[in-house]
Amino acid sequence: MSLAFRANVSIVDTDYGSVLLDEREGRYFQLNPSGRIVVRTLLEGGDSEEAAGALIEEYDVSRERAEQDVTALVEGLRAAGLVTS
């Protein structure tokens, strides 16, 4: 599963993760550093398993927890209307 933001969504990396701007709604969303890892992996064409693997490499978490976190983040982005897929 790769990820693509809608045309009206901008992403900027910060020292504390990333910030998403939904220009259509004028709403900001903040991603923590682990969220940034997941989003960047998916934006670069990786799938959910690769995103979970990236979390495991960076943090001391189980595969099950990493996969749950990836799923929750993607579902949250979809629910907010930020992604096309």
Side-chain angles (χ1 to χ4, degrees):
M1 148 200 12
S2 62
L3 189 74
F5 284 112
R6 295 194 181 279
N8 56 345
V9 176
S10 302
I11 183 171
V12 175
D13 289 339
T14 68
D15 291 339
Y16 307 104
S18 295
V19 175
L20 306 174
L21 169 60
D22 180 350
E23 297 169 13
R24 173 186 60 182
E25 300 288 330
R27 293 177 26 188
Y28 287 91
F29 300 85
Q30 185 168 354
L31 298 174
N32 62 20
S34 60
R36 176 173 52 191
I37 289 171
V38 171
V39 165
R40 288 294 177 194
T41 301
L42 296 174
L43 286 174
E44 293 170 1
D47 60 19
S48 58
E49 287 185 21
E50 290 171 305
L55 286 178
I56 292 166
E57 284 182 30
E58 186 67 27
Y59 302 101
D60 184 21
V61 297
S62 67
R63 174 150 298 273
E64 180 181 6
R65 178 58 194 222
E67 289 172 353
Q68 290 171 351
D69 289 350
V70 170
T71 299
L73 177 57
V74 171
E75 287 175 357
L77 294 171
R78 284 188 180 132
L82 300 175
V83 296
T84 60
S85 57

